[in-house]
Amino acid sequence: YKQADILQPDSLWTNKHLAQCYKLDGKPDEALEYYRKVEAAQPDNLNIALQIGQCLARMENYQEALAYFYKVEYLEKNSNTARRAIAWCSFVSGKHEEALKYYQLLLEQPKAKAQDWMNAAHVHFVDRRIQTAIEHYRKAQEAEKSHSDFIGKFNNDRPTLLALGLEEEELNIMLDLLI
């Protein structure tokens, strides 16, 4: 793709593919550079707006990411992908009421995902609403294929939960409560 870009600079197709490759390679800053080129040519492309938001979120630029996710959620009329992103970015930015508002919208749907239940539980846990957190974690467990899948996903979020003020011991006690 880099060679194609040299031969035909600023091709939308090439820029989209370069951005995807960098994103998949765990280089959101480089992906963002190419997504921004596509955005300049297609400012109304909501998929590109979503991709830019995801890159910004991976770079922990949550405020700018939220602007893109709000745009997608508004223009795409209740996009669950955008809602999930808004909820998570709000959570890690300390806007817990906003996060819960969006998680509630997701949880009210007939096919709420296990991750939605888990992330809502995380918000309640960090806010010390332990009983509600336990109830939501149990719903997340029920929606997972196995208890080990649940534990794995919970543990993936450990660094975030620790950064938001929970202690390692609290996380372990919560997992013990959910056995």
Side-chain angles (χ1 to χ4, degrees):
Y1 292 124
K2 291 291 268 180
Q3 287 179 336
D5 191 44
I6 292 168
L7 294 173
Q8 187 178 0
D10 295 323
S11 158
L12 281 177
W13 185 91
T14 304
N15 285 338
K16 284 180 186 178
H17 285 81
L18 278 166
Q20 284 179 318
C21 288
Y22 281 122
K23 186 178 171 191
L24 291 171
D25 200 28
K27 298 177 181 174
D29 50 334
E30 294 179 49
L32 182 61
E33 177 186 334
Y34 287 97
Y35 281 130
R36 292 228 194 252
K37 288 180 182 183
V38 176
E39 178 189 33
Q42 299 178 335
D44 296 330
N45 185 327
L46 295 180
N47 182 51
I48 295 302
L50 191 62
Q51 299 301 323
I52 289 172
Q54 290 172 351
C55 288
L56 290 165
R58 286 197 181 104
M59 295 165 58
E60 299 182 6
N61 185 345
Y62 300 116
Q63 295 311 309
E64 192 177 353
L66 278 167
Y68 279 93
F69 295 139
Y70 282 126
K71 173 184 176 179
V72 172
E73 198 254 347
Y74 177 76
L75 294 175
E76 202 171 277
K77 301 296 180 221
N78 307 323
S79 163
N80 284 337
T81 303
R83 283 180 172 172
R84 281 183 184 92
I86 291 168
W88 184 259
C89 286
S90 296
F91 172 50
V92 296
S93 298
K95 300 174 183 175
H96 295 180
E97 292 309 312
E98 182 77 356
L100 287 174
K101 176 180 122 183
Y102 277 90
Y103 281 127
Q104 191 58 42
L105 291 171
L106 293 164
L107 297 177
E108 288 172 353
Q109 296 186 5
K111 293 186 178 181
K113 293 185 175 188
Q115 196 66 47
D116 299 331
W117 286 106
M118 181 172 299
N119 291 343
H122 289 340
V123 179
H124 288 293
F125 192 13
V126 167
D127 285 348
R128 308 296 186 203
R129 291 187 290 271
I130 303 303
Q131 193 54 48
T132 305
I134 290 170
E135 291 167 11
H136 282 54
Y137 282 132
R138 286 199 171 122
K139 292 271 192 183
Q141 272 184 307
E142 291 169 15
E144 284 295 346
K145 294 177 185 147
S146 69
H147 182 68
S148 61
D149 284 352
F150 170 82
I151 298 295
K153 289 179 181 176
F154 184 95
N155 285 332
N156 286 342
D157 291 339
R158 236 173 225 275
T160 301
L161 296 171
L162 293 169
L164 291 171
L166 293 173
E167 300 291 329
E168 193 72 47
E169 185 177 356
E170 292 174 292
L171 300 179
N172 294 333
I173 290 170
M174 180 59 78
L175 287 176
D176 286 346
L177 289 170
L178 296 169
I179 291 177

